Amino acid sequence: MENDDIDSNINTEESSNESSDDDFSIDFTTSSAISSVGLKFLVLYIPIFWFSGLVVATFWYGYAAGSTFWIIKLLYLPLFLLSLMFLFIFTSFFFCKLLLILINLMCVPKEGIFRIDTKDPNFEFWKLRIELKKIVLWFLRNWPLPWLDVLAFRFFGVKIDFSSHLNDAWVDCEFIEFGNNITVGQGAVLMSSMIVGNFLIIKKITLDDFSLIGGQSTIAPGTHFGKDTVLGAVSVTTLNQRLEDGWIYGGIPARKFKPNKYAEERTSTIHKVDVDEEEKVEVEYDINIDENKRKFLKRGSKE
Amino acid sequence: MSVPNSMRVGPFCASVLVKKRYLFLYIFLIWISILPGLLELWAYWQALWNDVRPLFFYVYLPLLLLAIYITTVIAAIIFTKMVLIVINILHKPKEGVFLRHPSDKDYRYWSLRNTIKKWPTWLSHKFPFPFLDNLCFKVFNVKTTFSNSLFEGWVDTEFISFGKNVVCGQGAIIQSSVIIGNFLIIRKTIIEDNVRIGAHVIVMPGTHIGRNSILNTWSSTMIGQELEEGWIYNGGPAKKFKKNRFFEDIPIEKLSQKVGDYEGLLKKYDEQYVKREVKKRRLLEKNIKPSFHLKDRLHLRKDKDNDDEN
């Protein structure tokens, strides 16, 4: 039995029945993947599917019944099918948004800690919102242009633009604020809600410009990413953690690793353009800056 | 809550031996499970198609397509179950350690079972709601309820039993079979009521997770590990982090959202790893070599197995 001691019996002597503040502090991270969805939610799903299907069917009827020569019809068919898919997704967007507005009138989404209980409206409506949004995101990520899911996020009121991408990660689609040029790694989990025991925690995540999240890392609710912050792969942030500007973080839980020198180079080079030392900048830029950032420099040098 | 587009394959068993003759069975299942949906479409066409006024045909078409999809999934589950019953009569699935080689009958049948199950699980996982997924698990003899969420991670489809209200996090892996070197190990995994499994957690075969326990993100369990009820676990292999009081009926104000002393927290996390090292060194000083041999792990639940045989 000596071997088993190593694994299991190390912390047993610490067990005590007294309660302290430490017992109730949430210094660990779990998940937000609850799907104890009642069949009642399916009632909302069928009309969305039906109505957006009707719009698509109307367009298809117009195409099939049109009097164009059949070879031309056949030639345009793939393009038409793709646009029908897009049309289907966008009409389902529209009906989802309508339902969401109604639902949000009934119960305003808000941050805080709620009990997991069918009597608590906050918890029930949180589930409902997530299931509604899931349909659209599902369609967008299953069609041939998955990076368009940014459109869905924008439509649902998340601040984000096309300079950042998140189509290879689990991302909650509410209470998240993105800056510009953000990269979210493969398999990362960005949670604005978390389930701890019998409680649901909802807290906003904010990501500032040029922040980078490594693959398979987990972001807890309430995390703030500063400008130029890098979080390494396989790292976890705790609840309400603030990551400072221009640092590289890593580990479980995330801790400071080293200052982000790569970001300094970028900012300093662009800074020199403003000073108008044109020749120096050209040399500098050849070494440091990649192709897609050329436009920043050119704009600066013209001025 | 959106599944990454490169990770929507559904429950999956890594490194399954796929033989050509299994592929025939697989294609046969795909073929036969699409047939009922086509039959439905044909009946619909006969009933509602009208050359002059095709309005009604188009009005109910979206609903029909949804129904056809669900019928296809259910047909796939039923036909796969029928094939599985025949296979399980030929060779009963059992726990244990097997050689990972085509000459081993257990390994051969294990990969056959998983190849066949792939089609219905993949199909039901493509549906954005978790109902079909849970139905799929239930039919394949995984003990689970419809309130469980096993949708976001990878869960094996045999030798697992779930309690009520289990939450399985994003990207978590819950296995009942694992390949180590040249061996295939199959052990029954038991997860009891109200277990909250964090994101990216790896649960190995033979793990027994007690009631009301929480697994921190990125923790992993070992083969045959027993996790006690009512604790929060952390690290790999999972160790006790603190007592779980979040299932008690406490007022919401009492939960502190701020981690007060962050340095202290880092120490708390680090201590677990240090303690393990200290314990190991103490054993070495006593000239007891800590053995991590597979044989020792598999005998952790030896007593239980003996009871079952009797």
Side-chain angles (χ1 to χ4, degrees), chain B residues 16-80:
Chain B
V16 168
L17 173 89
V18 181
K19 282 191 162 186
K20 275 178 204 156
R21 62 164 178 265
Y22 300 168
L23 213 61
F24 281 121
L25 208 56
Y26 192 70
I27 288 166
F28 167 73
L29 278 174
I30 293 174
W31 176 49
I32 204 166
S33 52
I34 288 171
L35 281 182
L38 285 180
L39 210 68
E40 227 169 78
L41 186 66
W42 179 78
Y44 181 75
W45 181 280
Q46 291 292 320
L48 279 177
W49 180 251
N50 185 345
D51 269 332
V52 188
R53 294 185 65 193
L55 181 69
F56 290 110
F57 181 81
Y58 280 116
V59 165
Y60 299 109
L61 190 65
L63 283 182
L64 177 85
L65 291 175
L66 193 68
I68 285 177
Y69 191 83
I70 294 171
T71 333
T72 312
V73 175
I74 291 170
I77 292 172
I78 290 168
F79 288 120
T80 311

Side-chain angles (χ1 to χ4, degrees), chain A residues 7 11 14 17 23 25 27 29 32-33 35 50 115 138 167-168 170-172 187 197 216 241 254, chain B residues 1-3 5-6 59 126 149 152 170 196 200 216-218 240 242 245-246 250 262 268-269 275 297:
Chain A
D7 297 326
N11 283 14
E14 283 180 14
N17 289 322
D23 275 0
S25 75
D27 45 9
T29 316
S32 71
S35 57
W50 193 3
R115 225 173 263 282
W138 187 268
N167 62 329
D168 262 329
W170 281 272
V171 183
D172 280 4
Q216 304 279 33
Q241 193 172 355
Chain B
M1 184 95 68
S2 47
V3 181
N5 62 318
S6 56
V59 165
K126 280 276 178 191
S149 69
E152 306 273 349
Q170 292 101 322
R196 305 274 187 257
H200 300 303
N216 194 1
T217 43
W218 274 111
K240 280 171 184 170
K242 63 182 182 187
R245 290 169 158 270
F246 295 99
I250 46 171
Y262 196 70
K268 198 171 161 188
Y269 270 86
K275 261 185 188 169
R297 310 239 148 264

Side-chain angles (χ1 to χ4, degrees), chain A residues 33-297:
Chain A
I34 197 161
S35 57
S36 56
V37 195
L39 278 165
K40 58 189 173 187
F41 293 165
L42 203 64
V43 179
L44 283 174
Y45 178 54
I46 286 170
I48 290 170
F49 198 88
W50 193 3
F51 292 145
S52 38
L54 272 183
V55 175
V56 170
T58 319
F59 274 78
W60 172 255
Y61 177 68
Y63 189 80
S67 58
T68 329
F69 190 46
W70 66 273
I71 290 182
I72 295 170
K73 262 190 199 172
L74 205 66
L75 271 175
Y76 282 110
L77 189 63
L79 208 64
F80 186 67
L81 286 178
L82 195 72
S83 54
L84 275 191
M85 267 165 102
F86 196 67
L87 189 75
F88 178 75
I89 292 163
F90 269 78
T91 38
S92 56
F93 257 29
F94 179 72
F95 290 116
C96 264
K97 186 70 185 177
L98 275 184
L99 281 171
L100 267 177
I101 290 168
L102 278 178
I103 287 163
N104 288 352
L105 280 178
M106 278 191 263
C107 174
V108 183
K110 61 182 181 198
E111 300 175 30
I113 303 183
F114 310 107
R115 225 173 263 282
I116 292 185
D117 186 2
T118 42
K119 284 169 196 164
D120 191 341
N122 284 309
F123 172 63
E124 282 291 297
F125 278 91
W126 171 75
K127 274 198 316 195
L128 188 59
R129 285 202 301 273
I130 278 186
E131 284 305 320
L132 256 182
K133 288 171 181 175
K134 203 174 177 180
I135 302 162
V136 175
L137 282 170
W138 187 268
F139 287 142
L140 262 181
R141 285 191 170 176
N142 275 289
W143 87 309
L145 306 168
W147 39 264
L148 275 182
D149 62 346
V150 172
L151 280 178
F153 277 88
R154 279 171 78 119
F155 205 72
F156 290 138
V158 175
K159 218 175 144 192
I160 187 174
D161 60 10
F162 273 98
S163 59
S164 35
H165 66 89
L166 37 80
N167 62 329
D168 262 329
W170 281 272
V171 183
D172 280 4
C173 50
E174 52 180 16
F175 294 117
I176 293 187
E177 208 178 296
F178 285 89
N180 300 322
N181 287 298
I182 289 162
T183 311
V184 180
Q186 292 98 324
V189 182
L190 271 77
M191 308 184 286
S192 64
S193 49
M194 187 164 82
I195 290 153
V196 175
N198 266 339
F199 298 96
L200 165 74
I201 299 155
I202 301 178
K203 201 82 204 290
K204 192 169 192 169
I205 302 179
T206 48
L207 297 122
D208 218 328
D209 301 349
F210 294 101
S211 53
L212 200 148
I213 299 166
Q216 304 279 33
S217 50
T218 313
I219 317 297
T223 308
H224 169 76
F225 275 77
K227 210 174 174 184
D228 294 316
T229 310
V230 175
L231 184 69
V234 198
S235 44
V236 177
T237 64
T238 49
L239 189 70
N240 288 342
Q241 193 172 355
R242 296 186 74 78
L243 308 185
E244 285 171 31
D245 289 7
W247 276 84
I248 298 177
Y249 282 79
I252 305 175
R255 61 193 84 184
K256 270 180 186 173
F257 183 51
K258 61 181 181 186
N260 191 356
K261 289 279 179 196
Y262 311 101
E264 271 174 29
E265 267 177 13
R266 178 175 58 74
T267 44
S268 63
T269 336
I270 287 168
H271 180 70
K272 272 176 195 163
V273 180
D274 295 335
V275 183
D276 248 337
E277 294 175 331
E278 281 186 30
E279 280 183 19
K280 257 190 184 177
V281 172
E282 295 261 320
V283 175
E284 191 88 10
Y285 138 73
D286 276 342
I287 303 161
N288 287 325
I289 301 242
D290 22 314
E291 198 68 27
N292 59 349
K293 278 163 197 147
R294 190 179 286 224
K295 60 179 182 190
F296 287 112
L297 295 168

